[in-house]
Amino acid sequence: MTYCPLCHLTQEDKRWLLYGNEYWSVFLADKQDYVGRCLVMCNRHCDSLSKLRPEEWYSLKSIINALETMLSTELNATMFNWSCLMNDAYKYDPPCPHLHFHLRPRYKEMMHIGNITFLDHEFSHHYNNQAQAVMDDEALQNLFNTLHSKVDIYFTK
Amino acid sequence: MTYCPLCHLTQEDKRWLLYGNEYWSVFLADKQDYVGRCLVMCNRHCDSLSKLRPEEWYSLKSIINALETMLSTELNATMFNWSCLMNDAYKYDPPCPHLHFHLRPRYKEMMHIGNITFLDHEFSHHYNNQAQAVMDDEALQNLFNTLHSKVDIYFTK
């Protein structure tokens, strides 16, 4: 198998780990183009949705429930865009896709967090895949700290 | 509740229905910008992934498995982009989101079906949300007929 970076996460990669269980890891995305953007990664090297095992699929639903509830409650997200793409893995030959989801919270209203004011310019339209990050390192760290301190409320241990 | 068009599909809307069970309906998208593009719609009016019921979630996995297998085998799709967005529903106030997934098969190699030659120009990159349809009505009907004739092989009755 080709080297898979998601199977070999460094401590630096794990810096924004919000929650993990036996099957899944939830990271706050280091690029916060949509505030609260997360990545939900399968712990096992699995290359497609259809190859997920029943126990992974079952657990994924509890992760989705907890994340949507947390981000609605703590950030006042209006709704969520979920995608499972894995396109980047196919830039290599052979490809080495490792299943993960992108979660972009979307906001009808202007939202404020710390010193950041965020307006979801494309709300009710497809997310902008070229959107720029709206948070610097300090704001990202603050957002992480805020969400991480609430994880136990929403996720099962 | 605001009027939900997905709760009131017409016979014309159902023209491209490939498969349905108690919980889900699978349609060939009428806009074939990526050949084999499908829409997987929850039969019940459910507004978000976290509100899906356990039996719907369980059934969804079997739909995903069948669709990925069918499109890999019958169309030689390389991999799949799945998304669950519901942005359009938020153009209305109040919004009336009805849960559905977009499935775009992606192709590493040029693919041929009937008289159509399709090159996935963005392969290994994010899908182009503005891509134009590559099939006219006749080609769409032929693709539908081809896939519909194979549904029983891949989906449970």
Side-chain angles (χ1 to χ4, degrees), chain A residues 48-53 57-58 60-61 64-65 68-69 78-88 90-91 93 104 106 108 123-127 129, chain B residues 48-53 57-58 60-61 64-65 68-69 78-88 90-91 93 104 106 108 123-127 129:
Chain A
S48 62
L49 282 178
S50 52
K51 296 212 186 108
L52 281 176
R53 296 171 179 160
W57 186 249
Y58 181 79
L60 175 60
K61 182 63 165 70
I64 290 170
N65 294 2
E68 290 198 346
T69 305
T78 308
M79 50 84 77
F80 301 94
N81 288 173
W82 287 90
S83 58
C84 183
L85 306 175
M86 270 96 76
N87 294 311
D88 282 348
Y90 289 81
K91 293 182 171 67
D93 191 8
R104 291 173 176 86
R106 306 296 304 270
K108 183 180 181 185
F123 183 74
S124 83
H125 296 270
H126 198 282
Y127 58 80
N129 191 47
Chain B
S48 62
L49 282 178
S50 51
K51 295 213 187 108
L52 281 177
R53 296 172 180 160
W57 185 248
Y58 181 78
L60 176 60
K61 182 64 164 71
I64 291 170
N65 294 3
E68 290 197 347
T69 305
T78 307
M79 49 86 78
F80 301 94
N81 287 173
W82 288 90
S83 59
C84 182
L85 307 175
M86 271 95 76
N87 294 311
D88 282 347
Y90 289 82
K91 292 183 172 68
D93 191 9
R104 290 173 176 86
R106 305 297 304 268
K108 183 179 180 186
F123 183 74
S124 83
H125 296 270
H126 198 283
Y127 58 80
N129 191 46

Side-chain angles (χ1 to χ4, degrees), chain B residues 19-33:
Chain B
Y19 173 77
N21 69 10
E22 185 177 353
Y23 306 112
W24 299 96
S25 297
V26 179
F27 298 90
L28 189 65
D30 51 7
K31 180 184 174 186
Q32 287 290 303
D33 47 0

Side-chain angles (χ1 to χ4, degrees), chain B residues 27-29 31-39 102-105:
Chain B
F27 298 90
L28 189 65
K31 180 184 174 186
Q32 287 290 303
D33 47 0
Y34 291 86
V35 174
R37 179 173 172 169
C38 288
L39 187 141
H102 299 272
L103 167 58
R104 290 173 176 86

Side-chain angles (χ1 to χ4, degrees), chain A residues 31 33-34 104 127-133, chain B residues 126:
Chain A
K31 181 184 174 186
D33 47 0
Y34 291 86
R104 291 173 176 86
Y127 58 80
N128 176 6
N129 191 47
Q130 304 298 320
Q132 299 297 304
Chain B
H126 198 283

Side-chain angles (χ1 to χ4, degrees), chain A residues 85-118:
Chain A
L85 306 175
M86 270 96 76
N87 294 311
D88 282 348
Y90 289 81
K91 293 182 171 67
Y92 302 92
D93 191 8
C96 196
H98 184 130
L99 196 132
H100 62 278
F101 291 83
H102 299 273
L103 167 58
R104 291 173 176 86
R106 306 296 304 270
Y107 300 87
K108 183 180 181 185
E109 310 289 348
M110 188 174 286
M111 70 93 73
H112 306 274
I113 180 161
N115 296 323
I116 305 290
T117 299
F118 175 66

